[in-house]
Short mmCIF file of all heavy atoms in Angstrom, two decimals:
data_model
loop_
_atom_site.label_atom_id
_atom_site.label_comp_id
_atom_site.label_asym_id
_atom_site.label_seq_id
_atom_site.Cartn_x
_atom_site.Cartn_y
_atom_site.Cartn_z
N TYR V 177 103.14 -7.72 -19.88
CA TYR V 177 102.37 -8.95 -20.08
C TYR V 177 102.79 -9.95 -19.01
O TYR V 177 103.97 -10.21 -18.81
CB TYR V 177 102.65 -9.53 -21.47
CG TYR V 177 102.04 -10.89 -21.71
CD1 TYR V 177 100.66 -11.05 -21.81
CD2 TYR V 177 102.84 -12.03 -21.86
CE1 TYR V 177 100.10 -12.30 -22.03
CE2 TYR V 177 102.29 -13.28 -22.09
CZ TYR V 177 100.91 -13.41 -22.17
OH TYR V 177 100.36 -14.65 -22.40
N ARG V 178 101.80 -10.47 -18.28
CA ARG V 178 102.08 -11.50 -17.29
C ARG V 178 101.64 -12.86 -17.81
O ARG V 178 100.49 -13.03 -18.20
CB ARG V 178 101.35 -11.22 -15.97
CG ARG V 178 101.58 -12.33 -14.92
CD ARG V 178 100.84 -12.08 -13.64
NE ARG V 178 99.38 -12.14 -13.78
CZ ARG V 178 98.66 -13.26 -13.86
NH1 ARG V 178 99.28 -14.44 -13.86
NH2 ARG V 178 97.34 -13.21 -13.97
N SER V 179 102.57 -13.79 -17.81
CA SER V 179 102.26 -15.18 -18.15
C SER V 179 102.64 -16.02 -16.94
O SER V 179 103.83 -16.14 -16.61
CB SER V 179 103.05 -15.64 -19.38
OG SER V 179 102.81 -17.00 -19.66
N GLY V 180 101.65 -16.57 -16.26
CA GLY V 180 101.93 -17.22 -14.98
C GLY V 180 102.40 -16.18 -13.99
O GLY V 180 101.73 -15.18 -13.75
N ASP V 181 103.58 -16.38 -13.43
CA ASP V 181 104.16 -15.40 -12.50
C ASP V 181 105.22 -14.53 -13.18
O ASP V 181 105.80 -13.65 -12.53
CB ASP V 181 104.80 -16.12 -11.30
CG ASP V 181 103.76 -16.81 -10.43
OD1 ASP V 181 102.64 -16.28 -10.33
OD2 ASP V 181 104.07 -17.89 -9.88
N ASP V 182 105.47 -14.79 -14.45
CA ASP V 182 106.52 -14.07 -15.18
C ASP V 182 105.94 -12.81 -15.83
O ASP V 182 104.99 -12.88 -16.61
CB ASP V 182 107.14 -14.99 -16.24
CG ASP V 182 108.32 -14.35 -16.92
OD1 ASP V 182 109.04 -13.60 -16.25
OD2 ASP V 182 108.52 -14.60 -18.13
N ILE V 183 106.54 -11.65 -15.53
CA ILE V 183 106.07 -10.37 -16.08
C ILE V 183 107.15 -9.80 -16.98
O ILE V 183 108.30 -9.60 -16.56
CB ILE V 183 105.72 -9.38 -14.97
CG1 ILE V 183 104.55 -9.92 -14.13
CG2 ILE V 183 105.36 -8.01 -15.55
CD1 ILE V 183 104.19 -9.05 -12.95
N THR V 184 106.80 -9.52 -18.23
CA THR V 184 107.73 -8.96 -19.21
C THR V 184 107.08 -7.76 -19.89
O THR V 184 105.86 -7.57 -19.81
CB THR V 184 108.12 -10.01 -20.27
OG1 THR V 184 106.93 -10.48 -20.92
CG2 THR V 184 108.86 -11.18 -19.64
N LEU V 185 107.90 -6.97 -20.57
CA LEU V 185 107.36 -5.86 -21.34
C LEU V 185 106.45 -6.40 -22.44
O LEU V 185 106.78 -7.39 -23.10
CB LEU V 185 108.49 -5.04 -21.96
CG LEU V 185 109.32 -4.19 -21.00
CD1 LEU V 185 110.54 -3.63 -21.72
CD2 LEU V 185 108.48 -3.05 -20.43
N LEU V 186 105.31 -5.76 -22.64
CA LEU V 186 104.40 -6.17 -23.70
C LEU V 186 104.97 -5.70 -25.04
O LEU V 186 105.25 -4.51 -25.20
CB LEU V 186 103.02 -5.54 -23.49
CG LEU V 186 101.93 -5.99 -24.46
CD1 LEU V 186 101.48 -7.41 -24.11
CD2 LEU V 186 100.75 -5.04 -24.41
N PRO V 187 105.17 -6.63 -25.99
CA PRO V 187 105.71 -6.22 -27.30
C PRO V 187 104.85 -5.14 -27.95
O PRO V 187 103.62 -5.23 -27.94
CB PRO V 187 105.69 -7.52 -28.11
CG PRO V 187 105.72 -8.60 -27.09
CD PRO V 187 104.93 -8.08 -25.92
N GLN V 188 105.50 -4.13 -28.51
CA GLN V 188 104.77 -3.04 -29.15
C GLN V 188 104.62 -3.24 -30.65
O GLN V 188 103.83 -2.55 -31.30
CB GLN V 188 105.48 -1.71 -28.87
CG GLN V 188 105.55 -1.37 -27.38
CD GLN V 188 104.17 -1.12 -26.79
OE1 GLN V 188 103.57 -0.07 -27.00
NE2 GLN V 188 103.66 -2.08 -26.03
N LYS V 189 105.38 -4.17 -31.21
CA LYS V 189 105.25 -4.50 -32.62
C LYS V 189 104.28 -5.66 -32.77
O LYS V 189 104.33 -6.63 -32.01
CB LYS V 189 106.60 -4.86 -33.22
CG LYS V 189 107.56 -3.69 -33.29
CD LYS V 189 108.87 -4.09 -33.96
CE LYS V 189 109.81 -2.90 -34.07
NZ LYS V 189 111.11 -3.28 -34.72
N ARG V 190 103.40 -5.56 -33.76
CA ARG V 190 102.35 -6.56 -33.93
C ARG V 190 102.91 -7.96 -34.09
O ARG V 190 102.42 -8.91 -33.46
CB ARG V 190 101.47 -6.20 -35.13
CG ARG V 190 100.28 -7.11 -35.30
CD ARG V 190 99.50 -6.80 -36.57
NE ARG V 190 99.05 -5.41 -36.59
CZ ARG V 190 98.37 -4.87 -37.59
NH1 ARG V 190 98.08 -5.60 -38.67
NH2 ARG V 190 98.00 -3.61 -37.54
N LYS V 191 103.94 -8.12 -34.90
CA LYS V 191 104.47 -9.47 -35.17
C LYS V 191 105.05 -10.09 -33.89
O LYS V 191 104.95 -11.30 -33.69
CB LYS V 191 105.52 -9.43 -36.28
CG LYS V 191 106.79 -8.65 -35.93
CD LYS V 191 107.80 -8.74 -37.08
CE LYS V 191 109.09 -8.03 -36.70
NZ LYS V 191 110.11 -8.13 -37.79
N ASP V 192 105.65 -9.25 -33.04
CA ASP V 192 106.20 -9.77 -31.79
C ASP V 192 105.09 -10.09 -30.80
O ASP V 192 105.17 -11.08 -30.05
CB ASP V 192 107.16 -8.76 -31.18
CG ASP V 192 108.40 -8.55 -32.02
OD1 ASP V 192 108.83 -9.51 -32.68
OD2 ASP V 192 108.94 -7.42 -32.03
N PHE V 193 104.04 -9.27 -30.80
CA PHE V 193 102.91 -9.53 -29.92
C PHE V 193 102.24 -10.85 -30.28
O PHE V 193 101.88 -11.65 -29.40
CB PHE V 193 101.89 -8.39 -30.02
CG PHE V 193 100.63 -8.63 -29.25
CD1 PHE V 193 100.56 -8.35 -27.89
CD2 PHE V 193 99.51 -9.16 -29.87
CE1 PHE V 193 99.40 -8.60 -27.17
CE2 PHE V 193 98.35 -9.41 -29.16
CZ PHE V 193 98.29 -9.12 -27.80
N LEU V 194 102.05 -11.11 -31.55
CA LEU V 194 101.36 -12.33 -31.99
C LEU V 194 102.12 -13.60 -31.60
O LEU V 194 101.51 -14.66 -31.44
CB LEU V 194 101.16 -12.28 -33.50
CG LEU V 194 100.19 -11.21 -34.00
CD1 LEU V 194 100.16 -11.17 -35.53
CD2 LEU V 194 98.79 -11.44 -33.45
N LYS V 195 103.44 -13.47 -31.38
CA LYS V 195 104.22 -14.63 -30.96
C LYS V 195 103.84 -15.11 -29.56
O LYS V 195 104.12 -16.25 -29.19
CB LYS V 195 105.71 -14.30 -31.00
CG LYS V 195 106.27 -14.11 -32.40
CD LYS V 195 107.74 -13.71 -32.35
CE LYS V 195 108.28 -13.45 -33.76
NZ LYS V 195 109.70 -13.02 -33.73
N LEU V 196 103.19 -14.23 -28.80
CA LEU V 196 102.75 -14.62 -27.47
C LEU V 196 101.58 -15.60 -27.52
O LEU V 196 101.33 -16.33 -26.57
CB LEU V 196 102.31 -13.38 -26.67
CG LEU V 196 103.37 -12.31 -26.39
CD1 LEU V 196 102.72 -11.11 -25.70
CD2 LEU V 196 104.50 -12.87 -25.53
N PHE V 197 100.88 -15.60 -28.67
CA PHE V 197 99.68 -16.44 -28.82
C PHE V 197 99.75 -17.20 -30.14
O PHE V 197 98.96 -16.97 -31.06
CB PHE V 197 98.42 -15.56 -28.79
CG PHE V 197 98.34 -14.67 -27.58
CD1 PHE V 197 98.79 -13.36 -27.63
CD2 PHE V 197 97.80 -15.14 -26.39
CE1 PHE V 197 98.72 -12.54 -26.52
CE2 PHE V 197 97.71 -14.32 -25.28
CZ PHE V 197 98.19 -13.02 -25.33
N PRO V 198 100.71 -18.12 -30.24
CA PRO V 198 100.92 -18.80 -31.53
C PRO V 198 99.71 -19.56 -32.04
O PRO V 198 99.49 -19.63 -33.26
CB PRO V 198 102.10 -19.75 -31.22
CG PRO V 198 102.08 -19.91 -29.73
CD PRO V 198 101.61 -18.60 -29.19
N LYS V 199 98.90 -20.14 -31.14
CA LYS V 199 97.74 -20.92 -31.57
C LYS V 199 96.63 -20.03 -32.13
O LYS V 199 95.78 -20.52 -32.89
CB LYS V 199 97.20 -21.75 -30.41
CG LYS V 199 98.14 -22.84 -29.94
CD LYS V 199 97.52 -23.64 -28.81
CE LYS V 199 98.44 -24.75 -28.33
NZ LYS V 199 97.84 -25.52 -27.21
N ASN V 200 96.61 -18.79 -31.76
CA ASN V 200 95.53 -17.88 -32.18
C ASN V 200 96.06 -16.67 -32.93
O ASN V 200 95.37 -15.65 -33.03
CB ASN V 200 94.74 -17.40 -30.96
CG ASN V 200 94.17 -18.53 -30.13
OD1 ASN V 200 94.62 -18.82 -29.04
ND2 ASN V 200 93.16 -19.20 -30.68
N SER V 201 97.26 -16.78 -33.46
CA SER V 201 97.90 -15.63 -34.08
C SER V 201 97.12 -15.09 -35.28
O SER V 201 97.00 -13.87 -35.46
CB SER V 201 99.34 -15.96 -34.49
OG SER V 201 99.35 -17.03 -35.41
N GLU V 202 96.57 -15.97 -36.09
CA GLU V 202 95.83 -15.52 -37.28
C GLU V 202 94.54 -14.80 -36.88
O GLU V 202 94.20 -13.76 -37.45
CB GLU V 202 95.52 -16.70 -38.20
CG GLU V 202 96.73 -17.26 -38.92
CD GLU V 202 97.43 -16.21 -39.77
OE1 GLU V 202 96.72 -15.42 -40.46
OE2 GLU V 202 98.67 -16.16 -39.74
N ASP V 203 93.84 -15.35 -35.92
CA ASP V 203 92.61 -14.72 -35.43
C ASP V 203 92.92 -13.34 -34.86
O ASP V 203 92.22 -12.35 -35.15
CB ASP V 203 91.96 -15.60 -34.37
CG ASP V 203 90.68 -14.99 -33.82
OD1 ASP V 203 90.77 -14.00 -33.07
OD2 ASP V 203 89.58 -15.49 -34.14
N LEU V 204 93.97 -13.27 -34.04
CA LEU V 204 94.32 -12.00 -33.40
C LEU V 204 94.83 -10.98 -34.41
O LEU V 204 94.54 -9.78 -34.30
CB LEU V 204 95.37 -12.24 -32.32
CG LEU V 204 94.88 -13.00 -31.09
CD1 LEU V 204 96.03 -13.27 -30.13
CD2 LEU V 204 93.79 -12.21 -30.38
N LYS V 205 95.55 -11.46 -35.39
CA LYS V 205 96.04 -10.57 -36.45
C LYS V 205 94.87 -9.90 -37.16
O LYS V 205 94.88 -8.67 -37.40
CB LYS V 205 96.89 -11.36 -37.45
CG LYS V 205 97.48 -10.52 -38.56
CD LYS V 205 98.34 -11.39 -39.47
CE LYS V 205 98.95 -10.57 -40.59
NZ LYS V 205 99.79 -11.41 -41.50
N GLU V 206 93.84 -10.68 -37.46
CA GLU V 206 92.66 -10.15 -38.13
C GLU V 206 91.88 -9.21 -37.21
O GLU V 206 91.40 -8.15 -37.63
CB GLU V 206 91.77 -11.31 -38.58
CG GLU V 206 90.62 -10.89 -39.49
CD GLU V 206 91.09 -10.37 -40.83
OE1 GLU V 206 92.21 -10.72 -41.26
OE2 GLU V 206 90.33 -9.59 -41.45
N PHE V 207 91.75 -9.59 -35.95
CA PHE V 207 91.01 -8.76 -34.99
C PHE V 207 91.69 -7.41 -34.79
O PHE V 207 91.02 -6.36 -34.76
CB PHE V 207 90.90 -9.50 -33.65
CG PHE V 207 90.09 -8.76 -32.62
CD1 PHE V 207 88.70 -8.87 -32.59
CD2 PHE V 207 90.71 -7.94 -31.68
CE1 PHE V 207 87.96 -8.18 -31.64
CE2 PHE V 207 89.97 -7.24 -30.73
CZ PHE V 207 88.59 -7.36 -30.72
N ILE V 208 93.01 -7.43 -34.67
CA ILE V 208 93.77 -6.19 -34.48
C ILE V 208 93.62 -5.28 -35.69
O ILE V 208 93.43 -4.06 -35.56
CB ILE V 208 95.25 -6.51 -34.22
CG1 ILE V 208 95.41 -7.16 -32.84
CG2 ILE V 208 96.11 -5.25 -34.31
CD1 ILE V 208 96.80 -7.71 -32.56
N LYS V 209 93.65 -5.88 -36.88
CA LYS V 209 93.53 -5.11 -38.11
C LYS V 209 92.13 -4.52 -38.26
O LYS V 209 91.98 -3.32 -38.54
CB LYS V 209 93.86 -5.99 -39.32
CG LYS V 209 93.81 -5.27 -40.65
CD LYS V 209 94.18 -6.21 -41.79
CE LYS V 209 94.11 -5.50 -43.13
NZ LYS V 209 94.47 -6.41 -44.26
N GLU V 210 91.12 -5.34 -38.07
CA GLU V 210 89.73 -4.88 -38.25
C GLU V 210 89.33 -3.81 -37.25
O GLU V 210 88.57 -2.89 -37.56
CB GLU V 210 88.77 -6.07 -38.14
CG GLU V 210 88.81 -7.02 -39.32
CD GLU V 210 87.78 -8.12 -39.19
OE1 GLU V 210 87.07 -8.17 -38.16
OE2 GLU V 210 87.67 -8.94 -40.13
#
Side-chain angles (χ1 to χ4, degrees):
Y177 173 68
R178 177 181 66 78
S179 177
D181 293 327
D182 186 34
I183 297 176
T184 57
L185 289 170
L186 186 74
Q188 299 295 284
K189 292 183 178 180
R190 186 185 302 179
K191 65 177 183 178
D192 294 328
F193 175 84
L194 293 175
K195 291 177 183 178
L196 298 175
F197 306 95
K199 293 182 179 179
N200 303 108
S201 60
E202 289 302 318
D203 180 288
L204 291 176
K205 182 178 180 180
E206 189 66 24
F207 183 84
I208 290 172
K209 182 178 179 180
E210 288 183 358

